[in-house]
Amino acid sequence: MINQAVAEIDLSALKHNLAIVKKTAYQSKVMAVIKANAYGHGMYQVAQALIDADAFAVARVAEAVELRDANIKGPIVVLAGFNTASELTICNALELDVVIHCEQQIELLNRANFDKPLTVWMKINTGMNRLGFDPADVTSVIHRLELNQNIRQPFKLMTHLACADDMCSDATANQVTLFDELVSNTIGEQSITNSAGLLAWSYAQRHWVRPGIMLYGGNPFSNKAAEDNGLKPVMTFKSNILAIHRVKKGQSVGYGGAWIASKTSLIATVGIGYGDGYPRHASMGTPVLINKQHAYLVGRVSMDSISVDITECENICIGDDVILWGNGLPIEDVAKASDTISYDLMCGVTERVPRRYIEVN
Ligand SMILES: Cc1ncc(COP(=O)(O)O)c(C=O)c1O
């Protein structure tokens, strides 16, 4: 038996989810968001598998450089754009598409002298208040970008939705209305939606959609299961049972003796911990899956192991596989029990965990 946590990455599920994106936003081009190591799934392998996407999006120039170094040739959009003149030079040399969201970037572009122009997305702040030009400045910025020799014309336009996962909120409709007003006199391609936006707000799909979490089979909504949209989990995070102990009533388990048996219990020690990216704050009662049966976390999460109560389970042995999330156990259930979101769990799987790529059809 190998004591080894592993993240199994199902590339056929990834491709299936891309097909769902394309079916849902059938008039749009797809910018697959693969930043943060493709949400923990492995940026290079994901980029290779998503060859049918029209572009990739990453957050930082360094991520885009990694993709180019790995011979990924298609369009790559850098969502936060460049910060310095040297980053801008890299973007131009590697033919990266850049998001421009602030005055300093325009100044850097004004000072550059390129042989060939750069593809630029102008980002407008319609309510997220994170990155983007303020509505009051948009007309002047558009005018200046239209005159800029270093920019391929017409440049493209984007905004980002703050509350697309909340179908009861007015925020999305307000953001889209404001965006439409601000860009009504421009002709560039537009992009508004992330996963939640493209699923729930079809009128906001526009020329490009920018799905992230749904490609990985995560659910962008809190009140709906990912399967409701036909999505399949891509990552199955698993390990195995290292030991099984019979614990008597009154005995405790793990650091701080935080869990005390209320009756004689069978406790399995599983080789996964926060050193692998299992959430340190997973609450007692967080589910795991062993031989298709649910068992529940007891005690504190350690760096290399967790303890689960298998008293009610049948036929469980040392060495058996334990699924922490993925196939058969929605990551959202674990996220909820850990007071976080699926994005955080996926991105948090650490380097010591090998990614094992499978393709089932
Ligand atoms: C600008 C932008 N667009 C799209 C996405 C993808 O979002 P999601 O993973 O919710 O689909 C992100 C992710 O954070 C983002 O920052």
Side-chain angles (χ1 to χ4, degrees):
M1 179 196 66
I2 308 173
N3 171 14
Q4 178 76 299
V6 78
E8 209 167 76
I9 309 294
D10 181 350
L11 296 174
S12 38
L14 185 69
K15 290 177 185 174
H16 165 89
N17 296 337
L18 175 62
I20 301 271
V21 169
K22 290 189 161 208
K23 201 167 147 211
T24 313
Y26 61 95
Q27 290 177 312
S28 306
K29 287 184 265 190
V30 179
M31 191 191 296
V33 179
I34 59 169
K35 58 188 174 146
N37 199 25
Y39 293 38
H41 293 68
M43 187 166 62
Y44 172 61
Q45 290 82 354
V46 166
Q48 274 198 318
L50 294 183
I51 192 82
D52 288 341
D54 301 285
F56 296 118
V58 292
R60 300 182 183 155
V61 174
E63 294 176 305
V65 170
E66 237 181 274
L67 285 173
R68 285 285 189 250
D69 283 350
N71 217 17
I72 301 295
K73 293 200 161 76
I76 301 173
V77 182
V78 183
L79 291 172
F82 50 89
N83 280 314
T84 60
S86 61
E87 277 196 337
L88 176 55
T89 305
I90 293 171
C91 291
N92 188 247
L94 298 184
E95 298 190 23
L96 306 176
D97 301 354
V98 294
V99 171
I100 294 196
H101 55 82
C102 67
E103 282 295 333
Q104 288 82 342
Q105 291 172 310
I106 300 182
E107 278 163 31
L108 288 169
L109 258 177
N110 285 340
R111 274 187 248 133
N113 186 12
F114 295 144
D115 295 344
K116 46 184 183 335
L118 210 60
T119 296
V120 162
W121 286 86
M122 173 185 172
K123 185 162 189 174
I124 301 174
N125 173 19
T126 54
M128 178 77 152
N129 292 317
R130 197 174 64 171
L131 294 179
F133 293 98
D134 283 340
D137 301 327
V138 163
T139 307
S140 130
V141 172
I142 287 177
H143 185 62
R144 282 181 286 145
L145 296 187
E146 278 170 350
L147 297 176
N148 195 309
Q149 303 286 320
N150 288 321
I151 296 177
R152 182 167 291 118
Q153 304 291 340
F155 59 87
K156 304 169 199 252
L157 300 130
M158 68 184 285
T159 193
H160 194 41
L161 299 173
C163 306
D165 56 334
D166 182 354
M167 274 113 95
C168 302
S169 160
D170 294 337
T172 298
N174 292 340
Q175 282 193 264
V176 175
T177 305
L178 179 58
F179 182 76
D180 286 344
E181 275 168 26
L182 293 168
V183 304
S184 61
N185 291 322
T186 52
I187 56 167
E189 291 182 341
Q190 301 175 4
S191 176
I192 300 179
T193 50
N194 55 2
S195 299
L198 90 85
L199 287 167
W201 308 86
S202 55
Y203 72 98
Q205 285 170 359
R206 308 302 161 93
H207 304 86
W208 287 86
V209 291
R210 307 190 307 269
I213 195 74
M214 71 180 286
L215 288 172
Y216 308 106
N219 179 13
F221 305 102
S222 53
N223 58 349
K224 243 171 137 188
E227 304 99 74
D228 293 353
N229 293 305
L231 300 169
K232 294 183 183 167
V234 174
M235 178 192 288
T236 295
F237 193 32
K238 56 178 165 183
S239 189
N240 42 34
I241 297 180
L242 304 178
I244 296 177
H245 293 282
R246 190 170 296 280
V247 175
K248 292 197 193 112
K249 180 179 175 182
Q251 286 186 314
S252 68
V253 170
Y255 282 121
W259 183 83
I260 296 170
S262 59
K263 59 177 193 219
T264 299
S265 305
L266 265 189
I267 302 298
T269 306
V270 181
I272 196 98
Y274 60 80
D276 304 295
Y278 191 81
R280 162 79 177 78
H281 292 106
S283 55
M284 293 196 217
T286 302
V288 304
L289 205 60
I290 312 175
N291 300 340
K292 301 199 168 116
Q293 304 165 81
H294 282 100
Y296 298 92
L297 181 73
V298 296
R300 288 190 194 152
V301 173
S302 304
M303 190 182 293
D304 312 307
S305 66
I306 59 171
S307 301
V308 295
D309 186 348
I310 55 168
T311 315
E312 306 301 327
C313 302
E314 284 170 6
N315 297 326
I316 293 193
C317 306
I318 291 175
D320 282 355
D321 272 359
V322 179
I323 292 180
L324 289 319
W325 64 68
N327 252 336
L329 181 58
I331 190 168
E332 288 75 21
D333 292 358
V334 183
K336 204 175 275 179
S338 314
D339 198 19
T340 187
I341 53 175
S342 57
Y343 301 66
D344 180 31
L345 296 185
M346 289 176 187
C347 291
V349 174
T350 62
E351 265 184 43
R352 103 166 157 184
V353 177
R355 273 62 169 174
R356 188 185 297 148
Y357 293 90
I358 56 165
E359 189 140 21
V360 288
N361 45 26

